Amino acid sequence: MDKLGLKRDIDLALHLPLRYDDETRITPIAQAREGEPVQVEGVVQEARIELRPRRQLVVRLADASGVLVLRFLNFYPSHQKALAAGARVRVRGEPRGGFFGREMVHPQFKAVDEGTPLATALTPVYPTSAQLPQAYLRKAVASALARAPLQELLPAELLPPGLPPLREALQWLHHPPPDAALPALEDRSHPAWQRLKFEELLAQQLSQLAAQRERARLAAPALQARRGGLHERLLATLPFGLTEAQRRVSEEIAQDLGRTQPMHRLLQGDVGAGKTVVAALAAAVAIDAGWQCALMAPTEILAEQHFAKLVQWLEPLVQQDHGGVAWLTGSRKGRARRQMVERVASGEATLVVGTHAVIEQDVHFAKLGLAIIDEQHRFGVAQRLALLHKLSGQQLEPHLLMMTATPIPRTLAMTYFADLALSTIDQLPPGRTPVLTKVFDDARRPQVIARIADEVAQGRQVYWVCPLIEESEKLDLQNATETHQQLSAALPGVMVGLLHGRMPAAEKSAVMALFKGGEMAVLVATTVIEVGVDVPNASLMVIEHAERFGLSQLHQLRGRVGRGATASVCVLLYAGPLSPTAKDRLRAMADTTDGFEIARRDLEIRGPGEFMGARQSGEALLRFADLAEDAPLLQHARRIAPLLLAQHPGAARAHVARWLDTRADFMKA
Ligand code: ADP
Ligand code: MG
């Protein structure tokens, strides 16, 4: 049960049924209708094993009204024993029309005596795993429900009117009476459901408010650029002028950095909007002020590729009189790593760039003033927390800047990140031509390859992306390798490279260097190039099995082309038949290149839980409530949260503890 996250009694009490079985009544066999699940009771007339069309157990069950055939394609000796002629059984299943009259295939059954009492409430069916049988879980939940401390914590006058007490609501949801309105249960509009959702939303609002107040009490170093310092010199050496949007967000960030309260800001901007230079400017301010800056990216190749530019801009300036750059990534091990770690601890390295390796146990910062996390949604919540915890040893908190190309819709931002400041780059650098997106059946692959030859002949470069999905990693890798061979054969004289996650880091860097340098014209890659790679000369991207990618992933990938002035094309190859959601995704890609519109559609297709990356962290932020549907409850929770904190702080704390337990932390990350 630990695996399902069911540790405390309250967790079990909150483990709600997926659906209910009705064992409160028995339907006469003659009245059981096709396709409607029913429970019938009868006596076995005959049970035999048939061999055709395949081995199966066939049982004829009769009650006073008629006969029903039960068919078991998989069965054990225990089945035969329990279903021997003369046995009285209660059977639940869906009758369907069979060749020899009505039958049930693989019904559930149990032996009963005549007059065995019926259930008095609907039977809950819980989400569970294969190792944990339903019957066991039912017992565990029932006794936990009886034990769990579910006394009312909230003053009745603050609750929305008409909702039952918590214990009553849960009792009802686990064991609804036989006459319960199932539609209200299913669409979660029943007052018992409303009570539960309200509790959850309130806990979330309370913990946000508490985190916000806690953060307001923390002190951070006020960071300011020096006249003639790094920041100024960086601006002067940039090969381009900032866009209006970049200037605005840089100013917002600089304002925050100058305060003695830690910044907690999310910088969002579409792929290619130019977030890196904004990050570099922020880093320059921190270093100027005599503090360290840490930059984290989710993968090694990203850290290397993505920050290469930033380091290229900053390093010459940093090295002059600011100690220099330390790289911390997974592949830097042993002595090299120890040296880096020492330079970070002594404060000699002022710019620290890397992956998760930055937050490992042995890394201590002398004077961290600013932490920047790129593609923050790809870091698990737990990792973001680790970073914050790591820094809590210092006298002063560092400022935190998170960056994402996946914009957060406003409603979500309001609810989850009440105290997160948002900066948005809503403008692309000048001279970009929008990418044209085409969706093709895989059968048109030869045409696509001919197109590649054209592009290469004009001196352009091409990405070919193959999916890499964990469950089938081996197969996918084989697929990428085959595609690589196919393209190499079809494009004689053209250098075609292969890049995948299993390659040693050095080899990856070598391939990327060839591609960046322009010698390699075509790069076949698994999703490792998803974010951050910058090769302006690449004008064509082919995504194989596009139907297997998520929408925001596709958008991120597509952002790798269209970075130069030439018109670029993105070809989405799919292998049919397409599921409706896959169809929606591909259509959205063809319809728009606007990251905000894509995010909106993504939310529509997937729902907010997944959107927030909750899946990766294994913790859905909201289990019961739905932001869109439960807006009135959310409003109420927002209104009473400050009242509750002010007037009933004890109840507020107890409520958050009951609901969030360890998850209270997650709200702060
Ligand atoms: P992202 O927001 O996706 O991280 P990058 O920071 O990688 O985008 O920027 C994409 C490309 O645009 C890079 O090649 C970068 O050097 C370039 N760039 C950024 N800002 C400007 C600008 N103001 N004018 C011209 N090019 C820019
Ligand atoms: Mg980027």
Side-chain angles (χ1 to χ4, degrees), residues 219-223 256-262 291 368-370 394 396-399:
L223 307 176
D256 279 5
L257 291 178
R259 298 208 178 93
T260 52
Q261 217 183 70
W291 290 74
L368 186 64
L370 169 65
Q394 276 182 191
L396 292 173
E397 292 282 313
H399 297 278

Side-chain angles (χ1 to χ4, degrees), residues 212-224 252-264 289 291 368-369 394-400:
Q212 189 175 347
R213 293 187 180 173
E214 198 176 304
R215 193 149 29 230
R217 286 206 326 266
L218 298 173
L223 307 176
Q224 225 142 27
E252 286 165 3
I253 292 167
Q255 292 269 342
D256 279 5
L257 291 178
R259 298 208 178 93
T260 52
Q261 217 183 70
M263 169 168 77
H264 189 58
W291 290 74
L368 186 64
Q394 276 182 191
Q395 295 271 316
L396 292 173
E397 292 282 313
H399 297 278
L400 179 62

